[in-house]
Amino acid sequence: MSNSFVLVINSGSSSLKFAIIDSVTGDAMVSGLGECFGTPQASMSWKFEGNKTEEAVNTSENHHQYAISRLVDLVEQWGYNDKLVAVGHRIVHGGEKFTSTVRIDQSVLAEIENLADLAPLHNPAGATGIRAAITAFPVLPQFAVFDTAFHQTMPKKAFTGGIAKELYTEYGIRRYGFHGTSHYYVSREAAKMLSKDVNECSFISVHLGNGASVCAINNGNSVDTSMGFTPLAGLMMGTRSGDLDPGIIEFLMKKGWSQEQVFETLNKKSGFLGVSGLTSDARGILEAMENGHEGAKLAFEVFTYRVAKFIGSYLIPLDHLDAIIFTGGIGENSLPIRSEILSNLKLLGFIEDKTANADARFGASGTIATSELLNAVAMVIPTNEEFVIAQQSVELL
């Protein structure tokens, strides 16, 4: 195939990320973001050949529709009009229906919309992005890559909740997991770095960003993951609480809290922001901690302790451990957070290489710790979810 460029679209409820990816090298030829859709502050920005451009989106038209129609003009302006071979869409929830990337047709689109109950903020936005892209690029094949697909190899004992089975059979309530494309990508890259077949490798993949999750990968397959029925479960995150006693929800509602107040707090006012009382950003937490802010220090300790606890528990489903992989914005860049997590894993024998840990930041990968006890390493690998979407789209062509 002479051309290997894929337009990758990630449509959120009030945003639209896009990139033109070389599906062979993984390089982003163009990357951009539309944000604050539905508000007067709506804007689009993009980076092409090292130059960044930003413009306001002032239109009464649907902002997602406008952004993609604007993309059509830009694609032509950038000279990629005849070079694109496909459009790949990141879709958050595939339920149990979608276990791998699929080519989009009307039945697939309808199923994505049917799964809106499981991801009410994300799947309708993803469907909007697909419809707009089909209108804008009617000749190009379109593909859906699902966040949940990689985790469909989890055994029943890992995805089944300790609840009445009718809740699963009637409503599909189970552990689904997210960040699948990220965990998939870094596990394949880690196998290459170790010069091993990924199907013989076992990893604990730690994706730390504003959203965060841990995944146990045995012989190349996801066998457990920390996010659950929704992305609210598992680790404490930027604004999400992570795991908590469900009895707290009943307690707060008896105190007069509405359902909306409870879940607004758990999703948007908890995590780093809630515990610190200051910020949801890990960089702000570290800066405030250095200045003696007690709330920031506690947020740092809670976060790193919980990550280490999950890592320790995820040895259980593995045959052996080849590596712990740190990725995501925090996992790739935050030296103090990685160091603290590793220090919490001392019983597993991990000894940090402080120089290597300092070097493996800002786009650089590398091994940052070793455990003779487990014959394993800890490594940093920058994730590239767009590359996975582009690759899998081209593979299906």
Side-chain angles (χ1 to χ4, degrees):
M1 190 181 293
S2 56
N3 289 336
S4 57
F5 300 108
V6 177
L7 175 61
V8 173
I9 292 175
N10 180 355
S11 191
S13 55
S14 61
S15 65
L16 187 133
K17 291 181 185 173
F18 57 90
I20 294 175
I21 301 292
D22 185 326
S23 66
V24 176
T25 65
D27 294 334
M29 317 313 290
V30 181
S31 60
L33 172 67
E35 56 188 335
C36 301
F37 286 1
T39 76
Q41 290 76 43
S43 67
M44 282 180 73
S45 61
W46 58 86
K47 195 172 183 181
F48 175 61
E49 293 182 342
N51 299 313
K52 188 169 182 182
T53 306
E54 187 167 351
E55 62 181 37
V57 176
N58 297 318
T59 174
S60 56
E61 188 183 346
N62 176 287
H63 282 167
H64 285 87
Q65 190 74 50
Y66 172 83
I68 291 182
S69 62
R70 182 77 179 101
L71 249 181
V72 176
D73 300 335
L74 291 169
V75 164
E76 190 166 354
Q77 187 181 311
W78 295 324
Y80 282 94
N81 212 24
D82 301 321
K83 296 178 183 176
L84 294 177
V85 296
V87 181
H89 297 265
R90 179 211 176 205
I91 303 297
V92 165
H93 219 304
E96 292 184 319
K97 172 83 174 177
F98 298 108
T99 60
S100 60
T101 297
V102 293
R103 186 162 180 164
I104 296 168
D105 57 21
Q106 286 306 314
S107 65
V108 168
L109 183 53
E111 192 63 40
I112 289 169
E113 291 178 314
N114 287 342
L115 291 164
D117 274 358
L118 299 180
L121 292 178
H122 296 95
N123 273 37
T128 299
I130 289 169
R131 289 189 189 282
I134 289 171
T135 303
F137 302 98
V139 177
L140 289 178
Q142 315 246 346
F143 298 91
V145 181
F146 299 90
D147 260 18
T148 49
F150 181 55
H151 302 301
Q152 285 296 303
T153 50
M154 282 191 290
K156 276 190 174 181
K157 65 182 179 183
F159 73 67
T160 302
I163 53 176
K165 70 177 182 179
E166 290 80 12
L167 296 179
Y168 171 53
T169 54
E170 290 182 27
Y171 302 113
I173 296 175
R174 50 157 283 179
R175 182 177 303 281
Y176 288 102
F178 301 90
H179 293 141
T181 48
S182 179
H183 293 304
Y184 171 89
Y185 175 79
V186 297
S187 60
R188 272 66 192 158
E189 290 299 300
K192 287 181 200 168
M193 287 171 67
L194 295 172
S195 301
K196 291 185 72 171
D197 181 341
V198 71
N199 297 313
E200 295 172 0
C201 289
S202 291
F203 300 117
I204 297 172
S205 174
V206 186
H207 179 109
L208 305 179
N210 193 48
S213 66
V214 183
C215 180
I217 298 168
N218 199 47
N219 299 324
N221 293 320
S222 171
V223 290
D224 208 344
T225 190
S226 58
M227 282 181 167
F229 179 65
T230 73
L232 185 56
L235 302 175
M236 183 179 102
M237 307 174 215
T239 62
R240 295 181 193 136
S241 65
D243 286 351
L244 83 166
D245 179 350
I248 293 168
I249 296 169
E250 181 191 32
F251 176 84
L252 289 174
M253 292 179 81
K254 281 182 174 176
K255 291 289 182 186
W257 284 48
S258 68
Q259 176 187 314
E260 289 76 16
Q261 277 179 300
V262 171
F263 286 96
E264 173 88 3
T265 298
L266 297 182
N267 274 298
K268 298 182 179 177
K269 298 178 181 176
S270 299
F272 275 142
L273 176 62
V275 177
S276 71
L278 193 66
T279 178
S280 64
D281 189 276
R283 292 163 296 190
I285 293 291
L286 294 173
E287 190 179 322
M289 192 170 74
E290 283 176 18
N291 294 326
H293 191 286
E294 286 301 315
K297 182 172 183 286
L298 180 60
F300 170 83
E301 289 175 345
V302 172
F303 180 75
T304 51
Y305 173 66
R306 287 191 175 193
V307 174
K309 271 209 306 184
F310 262 99
I311 290 171
S313 69
Y314 277 10
L315 289 172
I316 302 300
L318 303 182
D319 295 334
H320 67 285
L321 181 67
D322 289 291
I324 296 168
I325 309 164
F326 289 99
T327 194
I330 296 170
E332 292 168 27
N333 299 308
S334 181
L335 184 62
I337 285 177
R338 290 198 308 240
S339 292
E340 184 68 14
I341 292 167
L342 289 169
S343 75
N344 282 330
L345 297 175
K346 55 185 177 291
L347 199 61
L348 302 182
F350 282 95
I351 298 170
E352 178 189 358
D353 181 332
K354 292 189 181 296
T355 303
N357 200 9
D359 289 343
R361 288 186 294 168
F362 315 126
S365 55
T367 298
I368 61 170
T370 54
S371 167
E372 288 186 12
L373 180 67
L374 297 176
N375 191 27
V377 298
M379 48 179 40
V380 176
I381 299 176
T383 194
N384 192 342
E385 294 168 270
E386 291 81 7
F387 186 22
V388 173
I389 294 168
Q391 267 189 323
Q392 294 187 355
S393 298
V394 166
E395 280 169 14
L396 276 187
L397 279 175

